[in-house]
Amino acid sequence: MDRTRRRSRGRPRPPDEGRFTPTTHQATPTPEAVAALPRLLSADNFRDLAGTGDGYAAAGGRLRRGVLFRSNRLELDADDLATMATFGLTAIHDLRQPNEVARHPNVEIRGARWHHHPVPGIPESEVSSLMTAAQTYQAMLVNYQTFVTDPACRAGFASLLRTIARTDGPQLFHCAAGKDRTGWAAVLLHHIAGVDREVMLEDYLLTDTYAVTSRQATLDSILENLGSERVPAYEPAFSCDSRYLDVAYEAADDSYGGLDGYLTRGLELDDADLEAIRTRFVHSSPASA
């Protein structure tokens, strides 16, 4: 669960008057590694941001695979570390808070420089007070809203995108579960590239398919340490829900007139950085040429 978050004043209301009603629905990797992109057991939410096959459709073409990867934290076993080395990563972008990094440090990946872009999460004091699924669902809605409204969150996402734009070679970004902070960063990168919003949602929801093992391990830990009654209370924090993204979109609309305004005025990204991301991430397809 994302933690240590400053609060915003506005509190989005979940559907049905607060009832819990989820709406889920230069160095280059080897061609063989990109084509196969095996599942990693010790980082089960690792995947290519471009999707599979020919890559997601984007403005003017398709997303180029092997350029940007997303993941949960990188506590890799020896086999997965060897696999990760085949992707030729030049940069690892970590969105976690310092206390999260200290508790669960990444393994070192040769050739990849570590960049830290901390984004706050739900305060630990509030996490401990969540006793029902409805309370956790509400906290998650606020969590996503503050990705837009909280200055510390905006600083972290701005630093991430600016560094990606100015760094050559394949890169990977992640948080703890690879779902919330990573999920919002993925939305922003997809939007910059011109990916359709429905495709962005489908990619976001894939975490529920990929991260089954790590999600269950977390829930098992809650069961062992906090008791069986707390497991259902915390479950909304470990699943994807389209409403989570909706409140972030709504906050961007209210504050900046949409995602474009959020990127340029909220995150203060310039045209050169946005174009650098598009140029690196999108290649023209025969249909669009």
Side-chain angles (χ1 to χ4, degrees):
M1 184 183 303
D2 292 347
R3 301 170 186 246
T4 53
R5 163 60 52 80
R6 296 186 338 184
R7 315 307 292 157
S8 63
R9 290 186 178 180
R11 291 178 61 84
R13 182 189 306 167
D16 296 338
E17 299 298 326
R19 247 180 354 119
F20 172 51
T21 52
T23 55
T24 300
H25 19 333
Q26 299 22 345
T28 57
T30 64
E32 295 80 6
V34 172
L37 199 61
R39 296 285 294 272
L40 303 184
L41 294 178
S42 55
D44 58 357
N45 207 12
F46 168 78
R47 58 191 195 265
D48 195 317
L49 189 63
T52 59
D54 294 331
Y56 295 136
R62 308 192 78 85
L63 298 187
R64 182 178 284 111
R65 298 190 65 214
V67 173
L68 291 173
F69 302 94
R70 55 177 292 175
S71 183
N72 43 344
R73 63 186 182 229
L74 301 178
E75 295 180 304
L76 303 175
D77 62 29
D79 289 341
D80 288 344
L81 180 59
T83 299
M84 189 74 74
T86 67
F87 299 118
L89 295 172
T90 62
I92 303 293
H93 302 282
D94 196 332
L95 293 165
R96 297 177 297 165
Q97 289 285 83
N99 61 324
E100 297 175 274
V101 175
R103 283 198 299 260
H104 300 281
N106 287 345
V107 298
E108 182 177 352
I109 298 173
R110 182 175 298 179
R113 180 180 177 184
W114 184 74
H115 300 270
H116 195 200
H117 318 280
V119 174
I122 301 172
E124 292 190 3
S125 59
E126 181 174 342
V127 170
S128 63
S129 70
L130 298 173
M131 297 296 175
T132 68
Q135 290 174 344
T136 301
Y137 190 62
Q138 174 67 24
M140 290 299 296
L141 293 175
V142 175
N143 188 46
Y144 276 74
Q145 182 191 58
T146 53
F147 288 164
V148 176
T149 61
D150 184 84
C153 292
R154 293 199 303 272
F157 288 119
S159 176
L160 168 70
L161 297 178
R162 195 173 290 114
T163 308
I164 286 176
R166 301 177 186 184
T167 302
D168 292 327
Q171 304 175 56
L172 180 149
F173 61 97
H174 74 94
C175 54
K179 179 177 77 75
D180 303 316
R181 290 166 288 189
T182 296
W184 182 241
V187 163
L188 299 179
L189 287 160
H190 280 153
H191 177 78
I192 292 168
V195 175
D196 184 80
R197 187 168 288 193
E198 283 302 310
V199 176
M200 291 156 56
L201 173 61
E202 291 171 6
D203 184 83
Y204 168 76
L205 294 175
L206 280 176
T207 286
D208 283 347
T209 299
Y210 273 75
V212 172
T213 300
S214 58
R215 177 180 182 270
Q216 189 58 53
T218 302
L219 293 175
D220 288 346
S221 177
I222 293 171
L223 174 64
E224 179 180 353
N225 293 288
L226 299 178
S228 59
E229 70 280 359
R230 300 299 289 277
V231 173
Y234 281 138
E235 279 185 338
F238 303 108
S239 299
C240 294
D241 191 304
S242 61
R243 180 61 182 155
Y244 296 163
L245 291 185
D246 286 343
V247 296
Y249 291 142
E250 290 162 9
D253 289 342
D254 291 343
S255 298
Y256 301 104
L259 286 183
D260 290 332
Y262 169 71
L263 290 166
T264 58
R265 292 187 285 115
L267 303 188
E268 299 182 347
L269 299 175
D270 59 33
D271 291 341
D273 288 331
L274 295 172
E275 185 58 30
I277 292 172
R278 281 189 288 265
T279 299
R280 183 176 298 123
F281 199 22
V282 180
H283 67 91
S284 60
S285 63
S288 63

